Amino acid sequence: MSIIVQKFGGTSVGSTDRMKRVAGHIVKEKEKGNDVVVVVSAMANTTDTLVKLAGELSDYPGKREMDMLLATGEQVTISLLTMALEHRGMKAVSLTGRQAGIRTDAVFGNAKITSIDTGRIKEELSNGKIVVVAGFQGVTEEGELTTLGRGGSDTSAAALASALNADRCDIYTDVDGVYTSDPRVVPRAAKIDGLSYTDMLRFATMGANVLHPRAIKHAKEHGVPLIVRSSLKEGRGTVISGKVQRNDAIVGVALQEEISVLTIHGSDGGESLILYDLDSHHIETERIKHRQDLALIIKDQDVPLVKKIVSQYSQAYSTFDIREDLSKVCVIGSIQSSGEVKEKVTNVFHDYHIGKVSVWESSVGLSTIVDRSDVEKAARILHMHFGLDYIESKRAIL
């Protein structure tokens, strides 16, 4: 008997009607004779509502208490979805992250999974039950509840699939697969049939919000195929595995709208403690070193904490400044000829009057920082100029 892990995001479980639809997906998989573990997010808008409530009580709510608060959203979903499954005559049980054996480190608000004890889940599966697990959360060795940060439910699902040696992990969302760019911004973006773990990791690292890099790394480490598919309509989705082969050098264009650049001036190599502290808080950064200056590309949501951390090491640099209202646009792929892609992007931006703040190449593609007002235009133009438009489907050899 195969183990299938299914993950449903907040939009997919955003109402009781949608939960009934989700229950249908789960029952269909169970009736194929498979053991099914389901991971869910909080219902759509629940997290935003909880954050707003906290903000009405405190300008700076503590991260531990925020984790206690935000984790309740997933607990509501697992209970309601389990009720929906039982109404359809299925045996099911809901488990919090702690009950599911998910252990994390103690970085509140952005914890990493350190281990999973699958004993309780396997016991429930052996009794014929569908197991519904709260995503986005876990517990420390000391018993403290934690949340996993952005994309936490995807990470929970991939980590559970890996720990259970599942046959695959289906990521159900409100889109029907991975596209060459965000189709809401780039109308001519094409759905991709299949991606390797490496290419999907490139997408995620460069800013695409379909899957979190941690989820992909868990799946890649244990060779668990991921399938990104729609919970609202039938379809094959996008298969992500180690068996996918692609011949395209450039596979897509990703964008992140809410980006800031914090530049540390006069660091002279003394920034190592700052970087260590940022890493210990699991803050994702891209770093550009130029002589004695270090630029950190960070998400807007991380700006307050990054400023606080950098300020604590004032002896390591002369000054720092921050520029906000920026966005990042990335050309994703295996760039072989150093400088050629960079020159093309620079020329295209010049021709279309898009001002760039910075351009740099890496092993996963080329990134550009632009004014936020130009980000959508830049994404559409790069998508066209790298030959990603006008393609009905991006076929892969599976």
Side-chain angles (χ1 to χ4, degrees):
M1 184 178 290
S2 300
I3 296 177
I4 306 298
V5 175
Q6 297 179 320
K7 179 265 176 179
F8 295 91
T11 304
S12 302
V13 293
S15 66
T16 52
D17 284 341
R18 289 196 172 185
M19 284 193 193
K20 291 175 184 177
R21 182 194 295 268
V22 164
H25 286 294
I26 298 167
V27 170
K28 186 182 296 184
E29 197 63 61
K30 180 65 176 174
E31 288 179 342
K32 292 177 183 177
N34 295 319
D35 283 335
V36 183
V37 176
V38 182
V39 177
V40 292
S41 302
M43 296 174 68
N45 301 319
T46 297
T47 301
D48 290 342
T49 300
L50 294 174
V51 170
K52 182 180 178 182
L53 287 172
E56 291 174 0
L57 296 171
S58 172
D59 292 335
Y60 302 101
K63 288 199 169 185
R64 179 189 182 277
E65 297 311 318
M66 285 301 295
D67 276 7
M68 291 289 286
L69 175 67
L70 297 182
T72 62
E74 280 70 22
Q75 190 165 331
V76 170
T77 312
I78 60 174
S79 328
L80 292 174
L81 184 55
T82 300
M83 292 175 194
L85 289 167
E86 290 176 337
H87 179 72
R88 296 186 63 140
M90 308 303 294
K91 294 168 62 178
V93 62
S94 63
L95 300 178
T96 65
R98 178 175 189 158
Q99 291 170 324
I102 299 174
R103 291 292 180 90
T104 74
D105 60 19
V107 179
F108 294 110
N110 197 20
K112 284 185 178 179
I113 296 173
T114 56
S115 65
I116 299 180
D117 180 353
T118 58
R120 174 72 183 275
I121 294 177
K122 289 179 176 178
E123 179 185 350
E124 300 291 359
L125 291 175
S126 69
N127 291 326
K129 293 182 181 179
I130 297 168
V131 181
V132 184
V133 179
F136 180 63
Q137 62 179 249
V139 64
T140 69
E141 291 288 344
E142 295 72 31
E144 295 283 1
L145 188 152
T146 56
T147 65
L148 307 181
R150 186 181 72 82
S153 292
D154 289 343
T155 304
S156 300
L160 280 168
S162 299
L164 291 164
N165 196 26
D167 281 56
R168 69 174 196 272
C169 178
D170 293 343
I171 306 291
Y172 285 92
T173 181
D174 54 353
V175 295
D176 59 350
V178 181
Y179 280 69
T180 51
S181 192
D182 186 337
R184 295 168 297 184
V185 175
V186 183
R188 292 178 183 254
K191 186 169 78 72
I192 304 172
D193 289 340
L195 285 167
S196 65
Y197 294 120
T198 300
D199 279 339
M200 189 65 237
L201 195 55
R202 285 173 174 151
F203 265 95
T205 302
M206 299 295 259
N209 290 323
V210 181
L211 283 173
H212 195 278
R214 292 183 195 171
I216 303 161
K217 288 175 183 177
H218 277 292
K220 181 179 181 180
E221 183 179 350
H222 294 86
V224 177
L226 300 170
I227 303 180
V228 179
R229 60 200 338 163
S230 173
S231 62
L232 304 177
K233 62 181 181 180
E234 295 294 329
R236 185 170 178 274
T238 299
V239 179
I240 301 156
S241 76
K243 297 180 180 180
V244 178
Q245 301 174 15
R246 298 189 62 83
N247 297 319
D248 305 328
I250 304 299
V251 295
V253 173
L255 62 152
Q256 282 183 290
E257 295 193 34
E258 299 178 346
I259 290 294
S260 296
V261 178
L262 186 146
T263 304
I264 300 169
H265 300 282
S267 61
D268 195 22
E271 71 275 5
S272 57
L273 287 176
I274 296 174
L275 299 180
Y276 178 83
D277 208 341
L278 293 174
D279 287 342
S280 70
H281 284 83
H282 303 164
I283 296 174
E284 298 169 15
T285 66
E286 286 188 75
R287 302 158 187 179
I288 305 173
K289 180 73 174 175
H290 180 67
R291 297 180 181 174
Q292 292 186 327
D293 292 345
L294 175 67
L296 301 175
I297 318 300
I298 57 179
K299 299 181 181 71
D300 282 358
Q301 67 188 39
D302 292 329
V303 167
L305 180 55
V306 172
K307 284 171 123 177
K308 180 179 178 181
I309 290 172
V310 171
S311 297
Q312 292 173 347
Y313 298 96
S314 57
Q315 73 281 0
Y317 57 87
S318 58
T319 185
F320 77 85
D321 57 58
I322 189 160
R323 182 170 176 182
E324 301 180 70
D325 295 322
L326 299 173
S327 295
K328 185 174 72 168
V329 183
C330 305
V331 177
I332 304 165
S334 179
I335 296 177
Q336 303 295 331
S337 55
S338 178
E340 184 177 321
V341 174
K342 185 176 181 179
E343 182 180 0
K344 182 174 182 177
V345 170
T346 299
N347 291 337
V348 166
F349 280 7
H350 178 268
D351 292 343
Y352 286 88
H353 308 290
I354 296 173
K356 65 184 186 306
V357 176
S358 183
V359 180
W360 70 99
E361 291 182 358
S362 69
S363 60
V364 297
L366 180 137
S367 300
T368 66
I369 300 295
V370 300
D371 288 334
R372 196 164 297 174
S373 59
D374 286 334
V375 62
E376 294 189 2
K377 178 181 178 182
R380 288 192 289 269
I381 289 168
L382 291 180
H383 194 271
M384 176 181 67
H385 276 270
F386 280 96
L388 298 170
D389 277 5
Y390 310 111
I391 300 173
E392 292 184 1
S393 65
K394 291 284 178 178
R395 298 295 174 188
I397 304 170
L398 304 181

